[in-house]
Amino acid sequence: MILATASRPAKRQAVKRTIAVYGSNGSDVDVRLVARSIAQAALEVLAGTRPVQQLSRSLEPDCYVSLQHRAALTRKHAAKARGNAQPHRSPMVRSVRACSISDTICEASIVVAEEQRCRAVAMRLERFDGVWRVTALEIG
């Protein structure tokens, strides 16, 4: 009796990529961590569990006003649809991908899981005076 066994291909080595940009003080900052925290906070604003004022330093004025307006519309719609002013609960960031455009510009895509669905968040971050700020924010 002859048994044929297929050999499994060797496991691919996981390559850990870090997109780090050096700030003005020389500290190593991973842009993905910044994007993750801003995306989490933005979705908490939409959920009504965080005040939008907490993002005033992280967002450009146009992004800030847009997020503020969308949060008000989301709360109003949720109150009509469910009789509940809290539309979403416990958004959780699942993954973050970042692409460095230049030394001072990065773009990030983030996947966020909520109770019943996943959402995509895209943002453009630019560094001004050593601080990352969101200049474009899209939440799906």
Side-chain angles (χ1 to χ4, degrees):
M1 179 180 224
I2 300 173
L3 292 174
T5 59
S7 63
R8 290 185 169 180
K11 288 186 177 181
R12 291 178 18 187
Q13 292 286 332
V15 177
K16 188 172 183 177
R17 295 182 186 142
T18 302
I19 297 178
V21 180
Y22 293 94
S24 59
N25 60 358
S27 64
D28 192 15
V29 178
D30 190 345
V31 177
R32 292 176 301 181
L33 295 176
V34 175
R36 171 184 289 271
S37 65
I38 292 172
Q40 177 79 35
L43 286 170
E44 288 172 1
V45 166
L46 292 180
T49 58
R50 179 187 292 256
V52 72
Q53 292 83 5
Q54 289 184 1
L55 287 172
S56 63
R57 289 184 171 178
S58 301
L59 301 177
E60 285 291 306
D62 292 342
C63 294
Y64 179 84
V65 169
S66 177
L67 181 63
Q68 187 176 33
H69 180 69
R70 183 168 175 180
L73 291 176
T74 303
R75 284 191 302 273
K76 196 180 294 186
H77 179 271
K80 286 180 185 176
R82 297 186 218 152
N84 179 347
Q86 194 170 21
H88 310 288
R89 293 190 183 100
S90 63
M92 183 181 296
V93 175
R94 293 291 183 198
S95 68
V96 179
R97 302 280 188 262
C99 177
S100 180
I101 306 300
S102 70
D103 289 344
T104 59
I105 300 172
C106 284
E107 292 181 347
S109 61
I110 301 102
V111 176
V112 180
E114 290 180 341
E115 287 178 347
Q116 309 242 337
R117 66 180 186 160
C118 287
R119 301 174 82 158
V121 178
M123 68 177 68
R124 182 179 181 100
L125 298 112
E126 296 184 20
R127 193 176 70 214
F128 300 104
D129 297 327
V131 177
W132 289 102
R133 291 190 70 169
V134 176
T135 58
L137 178 65
E138 293 291 329
I139 301 173

